[in-house]
Amino acid sequence: MTSTDGTTGAWRRYAVLVASAAVVVAGTLGLIGLADAATEADGLAAFDPELTAEAVSHRTPVLTAVARGLTFVGNPPVLVTLTLVAAVILWRWTRTWRTPAVLLVAMIGSSALSSGLKLLIGRARPDVTVVLGPVSNTFAFPSGHALNSTVFFLTVAALVLARIRSLRNRTAILAGAVVMSIGIGLSRVYLGYHWATDVLAGWTVAIVWLVIVLNVARFVRDRRT
């Protein structure tokens, strides 16, 4: 490697680090704002009842079936199963424990963040009269389905993309991960389990946590190589 290549690589790493830090700071501030709005029922949270009523008014048998399917994928037992299966596949594919370890750490941390923030904020869910399905007695903020599913799909996508060169395949994988993450989050509002700001908070925490995990994984990899 020439000195020019080394300098370019160093600047690229610094640029990624700066961008990642900006995402973490912006996401953290955004989460604080959403939490404050959720507890005070103002700001973006003031629109939650209206958005829930709008979602309820557009329910159809087909949309309900799709929403229930998406929510099923985001259920904790299903995500745990998918995580273990994906970890085994990644291990057999890469022949290293580090790649599946990134996924496992990401998901364990995601679950802990979801549970901890729910207890910290203590926000009630929408009225049970709008819920399509079994009633949940846990707190609402943030949406665990949105948070955990986003971390899972985007982490898997990031780990796979690192080993695929085809632009078409990379685009398809990333698009699929984003669509699933958004779809599962929206299904929670549609089915009446969460307010819109709960889902937005779940996505926000997921992105911040994902950026942290992937940067730590990159740092560990660079130190080893």
Side-chain angles (χ1 to χ4, degrees):
M1 178 184 292
T2 66
S3 59
T4 301
D5 292 335
T7 301
T8 301
W11 276 109
R12 185 176 300 166
R13 287 193 293 271
Y14 285 129
V16 170
L17 184 60
V18 170
S20 298
V23 170
V24 170
V25 171
T28 301
L29 293 176
L31 176 63
I32 293 173
L34 288 171
D36 180 70
T39 54
E40 300 294 334
D42 58 8
L44 289 178
F47 298 98
D48 279 339
E50 180 181 346
L51 292 173
T52 295
E54 185 72 13
V56 170
S57 69
H58 285 84
R59 285 173 176 171
T60 67
V62 173
L63 288 178
T64 298
V66 172
R68 283 176 169 162
L70 289 168
T71 275
F72 175 78
V73 174
N75 284 338
V78 177
L79 275 184
V80 168
T81 302
L82 290 175
T83 298
L84 294 177
V85 171
V88 171
I89 293 174
L90 288 170
W91 174 73
R92 290 182 62 85
W93 184 30
T94 63
R95 293 300 178 182
T96 174
W97 60 267
R98 287 192 294 272
T99 301
V102 172
L103 176 60
L104 294 175
V105 168
M107 294 305 296
I108 292 172
S110 173
S111 179
L113 285 169
S114 175
S115 300
L117 287 171
K118 284 179 185 291
L119 292 174
L120 179 64
I121 305 302
R123 189 188 196 188
R125 292 176 181 266
D127 192 271
V128 296
T129 57
V130 301
V131 176
L132 287 180
V135 175
S136 176
N137 295 318
T138 60
F139 292 121
F141 186 100
S143 166
H145 275 64
L147 197 170
N148 295 323
S149 62
T150 299
V151 169
F152 172 76
F153 285 109
L154 292 188
T155 301
V156 171
L159 296 174
V160 172
L161 291 180
R163 294 177 174 269
I164 293 181
R165 295 184 179 276
S166 169
L167 179 59
R168 178 179 297 179
N169 292 338
R170 290 167 65 90
T171 302
I173 292 170
L174 182 58
V178 171
V179 168
M180 286 298 297
S181 301
I182 293 175
I184 291 173
L186 293 180
S187 74
R188 303 304 285 168
V189 177
Y190 178 91
L191 295 175
Y193 284 103
H194 283 286
W195 305 107
T197 46
D198 301 336
V199 173
L200 184 57
W203 288 334
T204 301
V205 177
I207 295 302
V208 170
W209 176 236
L210 184 62
V211 168
I212 293 173
V213 169
L214 293 181
N215 273 279
V216 171
R218 176 191 289 265
F219 174 78
V220 172
R221 182 198 65 188
D222 290 346
R223 292 281 293 180
R224 287 180 175 275
T225 56

